[in-house]
Amino acid sequence: QAEPPASDNTAMKTLRLREGKERSLQRRHPWIFESAIAKGGGDSGETVRVESSKGEFLGWAAFSPASKIRARVWSFDEKQRIDAAFFIAACARSIRARARFDVQSDGVRLVHGESDGLPGLIVDRYGDTLVAQFTSAGVERWKDVIADALLKETGLSKLYERSDASSRALEGLPEATGWLRGEGATDLVLQEHDWKLALNIAEGQKTGFYLDQRDSRKRFGDYARRLNFQRVLNCYCYTGGFTVAALSGGAAHVTSIDSSGPAIEKAAANVALNGFDASRATFMDADVNASLRRFLEAGQTFDAIVLDPPKFAPTVAHAERAARAYKDINRLGLKLLAPGGVLF
């Protein structure tokens, strides 16, 4: 791992932007694209001074020689020193901000990249374990400082790295996974609202789970309780979060579909973990679109349907085809609803 850059801002290299390209930074957008740069550069993750075409200070940014996003801004304050103290303070600020929320779970996102002034860093907490993704050259360069800061602020001892997102390759960085600090089991159980959800931080999607759907799962469970769902269909169910929520809300039966066999196995395990009768749940390792068509042909209907698909358009070239696919699954979903049914 490269040494972190010097903390003396006066010694840093300079990026000079093309005329007119300073406007996005003046609006505090932290990204600088390759096409915006007139001259200058640095090593991977090195902090550089960013200036307008007229030499005016715009920000301190982490340089990434391999990425289309050639630099990501750390600070727009010319007096700010980009050193270990900067990252320690940024991690502490992010973590303390989450303590202001009444999160009904022991799983919570503590750092959310650019939103917390730490471009490329994602940190989730699952009980006594932190999971981090370092997806940009800047946070990669400061990884050790950040790891220690995260554990000090949370008082925890275990940090697992899941730097295996495709965006790492765009930054010219190799994949990196495994225990960064401490060690322990990668199979964990999360408490969320009135239920438990098992996950694996080494193998699951993202950092192991979709924490961003926590409120949606609670709302779905509340709907099931209020509207007395009898037949529920959970499409792209992954590890069954919405399935468990529906059953917790009293849904009579939930059919869950995913094209991943391991995900379906975990979904069934989560239903068992919460003590629900296995007869209330059906699991299908199958293609969602084809399954929706078969249900329609068979005349089946559902009181509630969850459609939470993966992204169909990884690049702009896929957008048109993806739009048709989204339209198709929603059309089929609406047709499969019983009168008065709800589509989520």
Side-chain angles (χ1 to χ4, degrees), residues 26-50:
Q26 289 169 343
R27 293 194 296 269
R28 297 298 189 262
H29 193 292
W31 290 0
I32 302 164
F33 287 90
E34 176 187 16
S35 59
I37 299 171
K39 63 178 181 178
D43 297 330
S44 181
E46 183 177 5
T47 299
V48 295
R49 176 188 175 95
V50 183

Side-chain angles (χ1 to χ4, degrees), residues 251-274:
H253 189 273
V254 183
T255 298
S256 305
I257 312 174
D258 200 283
S259 59
S260 165
I264 282 291
E265 289 178 11
K266 287 184 173 63
N270 275 327
V271 167
L273 176 66
N274 287 274

Side-chain angles (χ1 to χ4, degrees), residues 16-23 35-38 52-54:
R16 182 67 63 92
L17 301 191
R18 298 180 188 277
E19 187 175 354
K21 295 297 184 181
E22 72 283 353
R23 292 170 191 150
S35 59
I37 299 171
S52 71
S53 60
K54 297 177 181 177

Side-chain angles (χ1 to χ4, degrees), residues 183-319:
E183 59 182 22
T186 56
D187 282 307
L188 306 176
V189 175
L190 185 67
Q191 180 70 44
E192 179 183 279
H193 302 297
D194 298 327
W195 50 78
K196 296 177 181 178
L197 296 166
L199 63 136
N200 187 297
I201 57 174
E203 300 171 357
Q205 297 286 341
K206 308 293 183 179
T207 65
F209 196 64
Y210 288 102
L211 290 172
D212 58 325
Q213 293 284 14
R214 177 178 54 239
D215 293 343
S216 300
R217 286 187 285 269
K218 175 63 163 61
R219 180 165 292 186
F220 191 57
D222 291 344
Y223 261 85
R225 186 172 293 107
R226 189 168 65 250
L227 300 182
N228 192 29
F229 293 156
Q230 296 302 299
R231 301 175 309 283
V232 174
L233 177 62
N234 182 12
C235 301
Y236 311 99
C237 70
Y238 188 43
T239 56
F242 282 102
T243 300
V244 169
L247 292 170
S248 295
H253 189 273
V254 183
T255 298
S256 305
I257 312 174
D258 200 283
S259 59
S260 165
I264 282 291
E265 289 178 11
K266 287 184 173 63
N270 275 327
V271 167
L273 176 66
N274 287 274
F276 298 121
D277 190 327
S279 66
R280 294 174 62 195
T282 298
F283 297 95
M284 297 172 58
D285 177 358
D287 176 77
V288 168
N289 196 296
S291 298
L292 294 177
R293 294 178 188 281
R294 282 196 295 272
F295 290 145
L296 196 59
E297 290 168 4
Q300 287 185 256
T301 60
F302 300 90
D303 299 314
I305 298 175
V306 177
L307 284 176
D308 184 25
K311 63 179 178 184
F312 290 161
T315 68
V316 69
H318 297 81

Side-chain angles (χ1 to χ4, degrees), residues 41-70:
D43 297 330
S44 181
E46 183 177 5
T47 299
V48 295
R49 176 188 175 95
V50 183
E51 296 179 348
S52 71
S53 60
K54 297 177 181 177
E56 301 158 324
F57 174 82
L58 295 171
W60 302 110
F63 190 73
S64 181
S67 177
K68 294 285 187 184
I69 305 172
R70 196 50 58 95

